[in-house]
Amino acid sequence: MLLDKFAPMAQIRAELAAAGIRPFGAVTERLISATEAVVEGRTVILAGTNNYLGLSFDPRCIADAQEAAARWGTGTTGSRMANGTFAEHLALEAELADLYGLPHAMVFTTGFSATQGLCATLAGPGDVILLDADSHASIYSGAQLSGAEVLRFKHNDPADLEKRLRRLGERAADTLIVVEGIYSMLGDTAPLAEIAAVKREYGGFLMVDEAHSLGVLGEQGRGAADAAGVADAVDFFVGTFSKSLGAIGGFCASPHAALEAVRFSTRAYIFTASASPSVVASTRAALAIMRAEPQLQRRLWANAERLYAGLRDLGLQVGPQPGPVVAVLLDDRDTALAAWQRLLDAGIYVNLVVPPASPTGASLLRCSLSAAHSDAQIGRIIAAFADPVAGAAGAL
Amino acid sequence: MPDYQTAVAYILALLEPRNRSGRPLTEATDLVADIGLSSLQVMELIERLEDHFDLSIPLNLLPDIATIGDLAAKLRDL
């Protein structure tokens, strides 16, 4: 039967419902600020929203979105290839190109469609996509769609990348190497200086997904490649507007003139309506703030380092390094589930991630930080973890 | 590339410690249905084979691999 394969998932959902726990798709009933909301009937500190710079409630972004909605209407109702290219879209593309000092940029309606669409289009039959094993699902999905040969290298392991490029011989030159700046589950940063050195030695094209590093690393928030000093080795910067920029959408910036032809070859770009004008306007405002206010990045990192150290000092197993994402790893799924619920009851919302969505066999209580978190809020998050989670972890 | 029997022998050696089925592993043993490997464990097995034989196994091939024999044949044909 067509639908039989969904029975195990339906069973898990039924068990969670019976237990009164809704970790996946928890309902936000009211948003109080960038860092506080009412979720599932509880007033909570939001510690799992990827709102790294806290700009989703910035009055300048809201005002520009409101003005754009009044001026341009609520939606474009069409593709960028047809009626959906407004002056706002072109302005945002010009500003992204300027951010990277590159001649070409294109904007997608979502971040998922940017990475999936570009991976699916840039490489084709006869080419090779060589991706980091911990890559986002959109990258895997695009690679699968591409028709290219898909290889993966060990997560954040430039020596393994080098080994695989060596095995490819002359085909290395036709290889699209795909990495992320910061990885979304454990918050670890890619060793981009080493990866760029390998790419320079063997050839190929390097795509860096800055989804979780835009606004978080680098001068003016350009991301991980800029922070590592290897922006000139990157062929395709991709990223999203749904994290540091507080909206939704995706982009690519590139030194290659071919990007303008890629634009008209990418189904995920062509066969969907373009981003709503209000979204583009708030993104433009947030981008300007990100570039002009480096104190937001400093504040985010101060919060990230404090939370990472606080959770580690509780004896919890955390990811390999501090970052805007701080994940607590628990071996047992049911323990993680119970801890997630106790955190919610204690007024802290985090993300629960269970295999196979997590990069290891562990379950994760995934926190993401914001520049908008106050010192008191970080203290409350750590205190909440101290009791239910540390207690549960200690009992394992 | 390894010949088929060499590949089978090495895969059996890697998987034997995980075999809790009570039945001997053979070329016909299914990696998931018989041994119960998770997707993560399948990828760990692939990485160990790649390191041992100094080759890269495209992800595109994985949907065609169910048994130890299937895997050994793919290694032979790379």
Side-chain angles (χ1 to χ4, degrees):
Chain A
M1 280 280 289
L2 182 74
L3 301 179
D4 284 353
K5 56 183 168 294
F6 301 105
M9 179 60 75
Q11 175 67 25
I12 291 171
R13 288 185 55 81
E15 289 171 9
L16 290 172
I21 301 175
R22 185 154 52 175
F24 311 117
V27 177
T28 299
E29 287 135 10
R30 190 164 67 88
L31 218 49
I32 299 164
S33 70
T35 59
E36 281 185 292
V38 178
V39 177
E40 298 285 319
R42 300 157 182 82
T43 300
V44 297
I45 295 171
L46 295 169
T49 61
N50 310 312
N51 196 355
Y52 299 131
L53 301 183
L55 294 179
S56 63
F57 268 80
D58 188 282
R60 295 163 289 184
C61 298
I62 291 172
D64 282 8
Q66 288 173 327
E67 197 274 335
R71 178 193 297 260
W72 296 96
T74 53
T76 69
T77 70
S79 163
R80 289 290 303 271
M81 287 277 276
N83 63 296
T85 293
F86 290 9
E88 285 277 313
H89 297 99
L90 297 183
L92 177 56
E93 288 178 344
E95 287 157 6
L96 287 161
D98 182 69
L99 173 69
Y100 288 102
L102 293 172
H104 307 284
M106 60 188 288
V107 166
F108 290 77
T109 306
T110 70
F112 189 101
S113 60
T115 37
Q116 187 207 42
L118 289 167
C119 287
T121 306
L122 288 168
D127 302 324
V128 180
I129 293 182
L130 183 44
L131 46 79
D132 183 286
D134 282 9
S135 290
H136 189 260
S138 58
I139 294 169
Y140 272 99
S141 177
Q144 191 175 13
L145 286 170
S146 71
E149 185 173 309
V150 183
L151 305 175
R152 56 179 227 166
F153 66 95
K154 292 175 186 169
H155 174 55
N156 272 354
D157 188 339
D160 197 55
L161 171 65
E162 188 272 341
K163 197 162 52 180
R164 289 166 194 279
L165 284 168
R166 173 180 53 76
R167 289 175 189 150
L168 285 169
E170 291 181 356
R171 297 183 71 203
D174 294 321
T175 296
L176 179 66
I177 303 162
V178 188
V179 301
E180 299 181 25
I182 290 178
Y183 285 85
S184 63
M185 289 292 117
L186 299 181
D188 46 339
T189 303
L192 282 169
E194 293 84 352
I195 287 170
V198 172
K199 179 252 181 178
R200 287 189 175 112
E201 182 179 353
Y202 287 88
F205 294 80
L206 179 60
M207 174 186 286
V208 179
D209 182 0
E210 301 274 16
H212 291 268
S213 35
L214 181 77
V216 172
L217 288 170
E219 191 78 20
Q220 297 185 36
R222 290 189 193 98
D226 181 84
V230 293
D232 59 344
V234 179
D235 296 280
F236 305 100
F237 290 94
V238 292
T240 178
F241 307 142
S242 62
K243 297 176 173 64
S244 285
L245 302 183
I248 186 168
F251 71 91
C252 176
S254 174
H256 298 288
L259 191 71
E260 298 306 326
V262 171
R263 179 196 295 270
F264 294 108
S265 308
T266 303
R267 286 179 167 178
Y269 176 85
I270 300 167
F271 295 99
T272 189
S274 59
S276 293
S278 57
V279 169
V280 177
S282 79
T283 300
R284 292 182 64 196
L287 187 65
I289 294 167
M290 177 190 90
R291 299 180 72 174
E293 299 184 12
Q295 65 271 24
L296 293 174
Q297 192 182 134
R298 288 196 294 271
R299 175 77 196 158
L300 167 67
W301 276 97
N303 285 341
E305 282 164 8
R306 185 175 166 212
L307 182 64
Y308 183 88
L311 298 183
R312 183 194 58 203
D313 292 348
L314 290 173
L316 297 169
Q317 187 187 350
V318 290
Q321 63 189 102
V325 174
V326 176
V328 172
L329 289 78
L330 297 169
D331 291 334
D332 180 68
R333 192 191 74 166
D334 290 341
T335 302
L337 203 60
W340 180 87
Q341 183 64 45
R342 285 198 296 272
L343 283 170
L344 191 72
D345 292 340
I348 309 296
Y349 171 80
V350 303
N351 305 128
L352 175 69
V353 184
V354 297
S358 58
T360 67
S363 294
L364 309 179
L365 294 168
R366 175 188 180 275
C367 306
S368 56
L369 281 304
S370 174
H373 280 129
S374 67
D375 289 341
Q377 286 177 320
I378 300 297
R380 280 184 55 198
I381 297 168
I382 295 170
F385 267 90
D387 179 28
V389 185
L396 284 173
Chain B
M1 305 311 142
D3 63 55
Y4 180 77
Q5 288 305 333
T6 302
V8 168
Y10 190 67
I11 297 167
L12 290 173
L14 287 179
L15 291 177
E16 195 52 59
R18 294 186 183 277
N19 181 22
R20 296 186 179 84
S21 67
R23 296 186 300 278
L25 299 180
T26 71
E27 294 165 38
T29 301
D30 191 293
L31 298 169
V32 175
D34 295 331
I35 309 178
L37 295 186
S38 66
S39 56
L40 194 65
Q41 289 168 328
V42 169
M43 294 317 301
E44 288 170 355
L45 171 65
I46 295 289
E47 284 182 0
R48 293 188 67 176
L49 293 169
E50 289 176 326
D51 285 344
H52 182 75
F53 292 117
D54 192 26
L55 46 75
S56 296
I57 302 172
L59 298 186
N60 318 55
L61 300 182
L62 298 187
D64 298 331
I65 297 171
T67 66
I68 288 172
D70 293 340
L71 182 52
K74 292 294 184 191
L75 291 171
R76 176 197 61 202
D77 295 341
L78 277 173

